[in-house]
Coordinates of all heavy atoms in Angstrom, one line a residue:
D265 N 94.4 105.7 100.3 CA 94.2 105.0 101.6 C 93.9 106.1 102.6 O 94.8 106.9 102.9 CB 95.5 104.3 101.9 CG 95.7 103.1 101.0 OD1 94.9 102.8 100.1 OD2 96.7 102.4 101.2
E267 N 93.7 107.7 105.8 CA 94.2 107.7 107.1 C 95.0 109.0 107.3 O 95.4 109.6 106.3 CB 95.1 106.5 107.3 CG 96.4 106.6 106.5 CD 97.1 105.3 106.2 OE1 96.4 104.3 106.0 OE2 98.3 105.3 106.1
H338 N 89.8 99.8 104.7 CA 91.2 99.7 105.0 C 91.3 99.2 106.4 O 92.3 99.4 107.1 CB 91.8 101.1 104.9 CG 93.3 101.2 104.8 ND1 94.1 100.2 104.2 CD2 94.2 102.1 105.3 CE1 95.4 100.5 104.4 NE2 95.5 101.7 105.0
H342 N 93.9 100.3 111.3 CA 95.3 100.2 110.8 C 96.2 99.2 111.5 O 97.4 99.5 111.8 CB 96.0 101.5 110.7 CG 96.8 101.7 109.4 ND1 98.1 101.4 109.4 CD2 96.4 102.0 108.1 CE1 98.6 101.6 108.1 NE2 97.5 102.0 107.4
A378 N 96.4 97.2 105.9 CA 97.3 98.2 106.4 C 98.7 97.8 106.0 O 99.1 96.6 106.2 CB 97.2 98.2 107.9
S379 N 99.4 98.7 105.4 CA 100.8 98.5 105.0 C 101.1 97.2 104.2 O 102.1 96.6 104.3 CB 101.7 98.5 106.2 OG 101.6 99.7 107.0
H483 N 98.2 108.8 100.0 CA 97.5 109.0 101.3 C 97.2 110.5 101.4 O 98.0 111.3 100.9 CB 98.4 108.6 102.5 CG 98.9 107.2 102.4 ND1 100.0 106.9 101.7 CD2 98.3 106.1 102.9 CE1 100.2 105.6 101.9 NE2 99.2 105.1 102.6
Ligands
ZN40 ZN1 97.3 102.6 105.4

Side-chain angles (χ1 to χ4, degrees):
D265 293 356
E267 67 204 34
H338 196 33
H342 219 265
S379 303
H483 305 86

